[in-house]
Amino acid sequence: MIATIIRKELSMLFASPLAWILLTLIQLVLTWVFLGRLDAFLEIQPQLLQIENPPGITEIIISPVFAMAAIVLLMVTPLLSMRLLAEERRNHTLTLLISAPVSMTDIVLGKFLGLMIFYSVVIGLIVTLCISLLLGGTLDFGLLMSNTLGLFLVAACFSALGLYVSSLTAQPVIAAIGALGVLLGLWMIDLAASEMDGWLHYFSLLKHFGHFNQGLIDTLSIAYFVLFMVTFLVLTIRRLDGERLHG
């Protein structure tokens, strides 16, 4: 049943011009950042040759691209997640879905995984862009894999949060604004955590992603991402279960 819901979500997503427009904009922005970093690397390459153990193209080009990708996904997730449940409720199809002999877990996971498959396409295109650098140099594949894993985990957290906010309203626009507000709040935590040490540091999504961006696969950060994702998926399931119980 989860596979059926995933196929339905993907067909609806890619049938919408919004998904294609966002996919194009994401690639344009990240390609622009990629070419800008590549140009900067070529300008400073003579100076780098004079340094012992200089940073390579992975540190100078790829890491900033993935850092920008995390911010771009933060911005576009509300637009993609707003329709997952809010639009179903507005079109009165959520009632039929809830009353069907399908578990709430299957519904939530199907919608979540559908969105994550879309993000897997986005991340795959980013990785392909970065691998093109092999034509003129060598890559640190460990750092590339660390960034890829970190971006996938942070995208999963964004998606889980967006799905939960979408379950709270029947208006997709309100769902998008609410999700964007929460995600921007998390970004503000990241900025605050950059300027001070203490407990606030542990609640920052992008701060944890920063460890992966630097090539550090931190088990604490992985645990945080998984706990964050699972928490909002469980909250969404409980929200839909409550609607089923109350008719």
Side-chain angles (χ1 to χ4, degrees):
M1 185 54 70
I2 292 179
T4 302
I5 296 174
I6 291 174
R7 286 195 298 269
K8 172 179 172 290
E9 289 301 316
L10 288 175
S11 63
M12 291 178 60
L13 183 63
F14 285 104
S16 167
L18 178 62
W20 293 105
I21 291 171
L22 290 177
L23 185 60
T24 302
L25 289 176
I26 291 171
Q27 291 308 308
L28 286 176
V29 170
L30 296 181
T31 301
W32 178 74
V33 174
F34 175 83
L35 293 176
R37 297 302 303 180
L38 177 59
D39 184 59
F41 173 78
L42 293 176
E43 287 184 2
I44 65 173
Q45 192 173 23
Q47 289 84 357
L48 292 176
L49 294 175
Q50 301 174 11
I51 302 175
E52 184 178 359
N53 297 321
I57 56 177
T58 311
E59 294 88 348
I60 296 177
I61 301 175
I62 293 178
S63 290
V65 169
F66 273 89
M68 177 58 68
I71 297 174
V72 171
L73 293 187
L74 182 148
M75 296 296 181
V76 304
T77 295
L79 297 175
L80 292 169
S81 65
M82 67 179 182
R83 48 161 292 277
L84 292 177
L85 290 170
E87 192 171 279
E88 295 258 21
R89 183 178 282 109
R90 186 184 64 178
N91 295 336
H92 305 292
T93 56
L94 183 61
T95 303
L96 297 175
L97 190 60
I98 290 176
S99 60
V102 184
S103 70
M104 294 299 102
T105 301
D106 287 350
I107 294 173
V108 171
L109 288 181
K111 290 180 174 292
F112 171 75
L113 292 175
L115 185 54
M116 286 309 300
I117 289 174
F118 175 83
Y119 279 144
S120 296
V121 173
V122 173
I123 296 172
L125 291 173
I126 297 172
V127 172
T128 302
L129 184 66
C130 295
I131 289 178
S132 67
L133 291 171
L134 285 173
L135 297 174
T138 59
L139 297 180
D140 181 346
F141 282 98
L143 183 56
L144 177 59
M145 292 301 297
S146 173
N147 273 277
T148 303
L149 175 61
L151 187 59
F152 185 84
L153 289 172
V154 80
C157 292
F158 292 162
S159 300
L161 175 60
L163 181 61
Y164 173 66
V165 175
S166 181
S167 72
L168 301 177
T169 179
Q171 300 299 325
V173 174
I174 294 176
I177 294 173
L180 181 61
V182 175
L183 290 174
L184 287 177
L186 292 173
W187 192 6
M188 293 301 103
I189 289 178
D190 175 61
L191 296 178
S194 299
E195 300 173 358
M196 57 186 294
D197 295 325
W199 60 270
L200 196 61
H201 170 84
Y202 296 101
F203 291 92
S204 169
L205 272 174
L206 294 181
K207 195 71 174 180
H208 283 285
F209 170 72
H211 296 156
F212 290 86
N213 192 235
Q214 298 168 5
L216 304 174
I217 300 181
D218 182 14
T219 53
L220 176 62
S221 296
I222 293 176
Y224 173 81
F225 284 136
V226 172
L227 181 62
F228 187 99
M229 175 182 60
V230 171
T231 297
F232 281 101
L233 289 177
V234 170
L235 287 174
T236 307
I237 292 170
R238 291 179 61 86
R239 167 74 177 176
L240 295 182
D241 271 331
E243 289 193 28
R244 172 178 278 180
L245 290 175
H246 294 91

